[in-house]
């Protein structure tokens, strides 16, 4: 991770290090495009995506996914950071690809592509295991009919042809895509707000998303909905996708923990709730991975903690 931003040290408190691989591919794609010395974890927090949980269904393999769709979370963050951006959306692949080529060839833009199907990115070994997972990459023109791909999964400066780009740009099965192809044209440059402004924005995102999730029957309710779906279906139908979701959920919770530790003098109540949540998620993961079992009590405890975090988060913000 990058060096701590002023926000983390504002209160004179040392931030807990976040060692996660990084669940926020959209954030990495945007920052690769615009440049600037901006911490990826802070940018991700301004999307609001780490706050809140949603359960969709088995068919779309979204059991404990972010309440705030990362696609819209990126829009929120891009606006907050005052990044010059043009978003193009189309349900016809041939048509939008023509627009994309024009932006690459004529405008020489840096492009954030996504959400797209990670399972179709041929440069990732065994990419099919990520089938239907939403993902974002940054591309820029590097030669005649060739682009360079920057991918947060650790694939930097991958050269691919326009034909290869067309073939791998796939949205089939990606719930977050909403049936349309999307890319964003970004200009280099980013306005860095003051630490106080960033903190206030993140706290507002935290309160709004956690509260909205609970009010619309997601949040803590989503946890038990997910348990019901999983318990009623063969483990082979959800084993890999659910464990993948838990890994990412743990990393998001660690990110929220780091933020909460760094503001408001690191109030202990919400930190204790987050610590226990991370521990419970780890137990759920291990029980499934090693024994192939769902322990209802673990899900119930996690749901209770999610509700308490929403309530404590409200007091934390105020």
């Amino acid at each position: 991770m990058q060096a701590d931003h002023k926000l983390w040290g504002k209160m004179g408190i040392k931030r807990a290090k976040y060692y996660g691989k990084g669940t926020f591919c959209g954030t990495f794609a945007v920052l690769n495009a615009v440049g600037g010395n901006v911490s990826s974890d802070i940018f991700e927090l301004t999307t609001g995506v780490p706050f809140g949980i949603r359960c969709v269904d088995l068919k779309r393999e979204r059991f404990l996914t972010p309440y705030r769709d990362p696609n819209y979370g990126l829009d929120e963050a891009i606006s907050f950071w005052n990044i010059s951006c043009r978003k193009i959306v189309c349900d016809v692949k041939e048509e939008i690809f023509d627009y994309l080529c024009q932006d690459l060839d004529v405008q020489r833009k840096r492009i954030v592509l996504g959400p797209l199907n990670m399972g179709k990115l041929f440069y990732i070994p065994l990419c099919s295991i990520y089938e239907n997972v939403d993902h974002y990459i940054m591309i820029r023109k590097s030669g005649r009919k060739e682009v360079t791909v920057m991918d947060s999964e650790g694939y930097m400066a991958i050269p691919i042809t326009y034909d290869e780009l067309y073939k791998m740009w796939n949205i089939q099965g990606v719930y977050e895509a909403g049936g349309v192809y999307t890319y964003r044209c970004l200009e280099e440059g980013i306005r860095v707000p003051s630490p106080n402004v960033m903190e206030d924005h993140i706290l507002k995102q935290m309160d709004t998303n956690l509260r909205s999730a609970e009010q619309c029957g997601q949040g803590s309710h989503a946890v038990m909905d997910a348990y019901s779906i999983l318990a009623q279906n063969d483990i082979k139908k959800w084993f890999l996708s659910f464990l993948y979701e838990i890994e990412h959920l743990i990393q998001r919770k660690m990110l929220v923990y780091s933020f909460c530790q760094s503001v408001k003098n690191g109030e202990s109540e919400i930190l204790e709730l987050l610590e226990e949540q991370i521990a419970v998620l780890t137990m759920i993961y291990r029980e499934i991975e090693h024994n192939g079992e769902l322990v209802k009590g673990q899900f119930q405890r996690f749901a209770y903690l999610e509700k308490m975090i929403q309530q404590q988060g409200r007091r934390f913000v105020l």
Side-chain angles (χ1 to χ4, degrees), residues 34-254:
V34 302
N37 186 26
V38 176
S39 172
S40 57
D41 48 6
I42 293 178
F43 189 93
E44 177 68 10
L45 286 164
T46 62
T47 69
V49 173
F51 308 111
I53 302 171
R54 177 185 300 275
C55 177
V56 184
D57 55 36
L58 177 67
K59 180 180 178 181
R60 286 169 283 196
E61 298 182 294
R62 300 296 189 270
F63 308 106
L64 292 178
T65 198
Y67 174 72
R68 164 67 67 84
D69 187 328
N71 194 17
Y72 300 109
L74 277 184
D75 292 336
E76 176 75 32
I78 286 170
S79 175
F80 174 74
W81 292 87
N82 199 30
I83 296 170
S84 177
C85 174
R86 179 164 50 88
K87 184 177 180 181
I88 296 85
V89 177
C90 183
D91 59 356
V92 181
K93 184 177 183 180
E94 293 80 5
E95 183 177 335
I96 196 170
F97 192 76
D98 286 341
Y99 290 132
L100 176 64
C101 291
Q102 291 175 31
D103 281 320
L104 288 168
D105 293 337
V106 180
Q107 301 295 328
R108 311 289 291 190
K109 297 292 187 181
R110 295 191 174 196
I111 307 292
V112 170
L113 208 62
L116 48 73
N117 189 340
M118 190 175 175
K120 305 301 183 185
L121 302 182
F122 64 87
Y123 56 82
I124 299 179
L126 303 176
C127 64
S128 60
I129 66 175
Y130 301 110
E131 191 68 28
N132 302 335
V133 172
D134 61 312
H135 195 52
Y136 295 82
I137 58 176
M138 192 278 279
I139 61 173
R140 57 181 173 82
K141 189 176 178 65
S142 56
R144 188 175 182 275
K145 301 300 180 183
E146 185 177 272
V147 298
T148 296
V149 176
M150 305 289 284
D151 191 323
S152 63
E153 289 297 306
Y155 302 97
M156 299 289 104
I158 302 294
I160 64 172
T161 66
Y162 279 25
D163 287 341
E164 290 172 327
L165 176 62
Y166 181 84
K167 291 176 183 177
M168 78 176 192
W169 190 7
N170 187 291
I171 61 171
Q172 185 177 1
V174 179
Y175 166 70
E176 293 78 4
V180 297
Y181 295 86
T182 302
Y183 73 88
R184 294 170 172 86
C185 289
L186 302 170
E187 300 281 355
E188 286 191 74
I190 186 169
R191 175 187 61 82
V192 180
S194 70
N196 284 336
V197 171
M198 282 190 284
E199 179 182 311
D200 289 345
H201 178 80
I202 295 169
L203 288 170
K204 181 180 178 182
Q205 292 291 305
M206 178 180 179
D207 178 45
T208 299
N209 290 347
L210 288 173
R211 195 155 38 87
S212 296
E214 288 295 324
Q215 290 174 351
C216 72
Q218 296 294 333
S220 62
H221 308 284
V223 179
M224 297 316 298
D225 289 344
Y227 173 81
S228 298
I229 292 171
L230 299 174
Q232 293 168 15
N233 287 276
D234 191 302
I235 190 172
K236 294 178 182 178
K237 294 182 178 180
W238 52 260
F239 180 82
L240 287 177
S241 56
F242 185 58
L243 291 187
Y244 181 85
E245 279 197 327
I246 294 180
E247 290 173 0
H248 281 216
L249 183 53
I250 288 173
Q251 291 187 44
R252 287 195 297 273
K253 291 294 182 179
M254 290 172 65

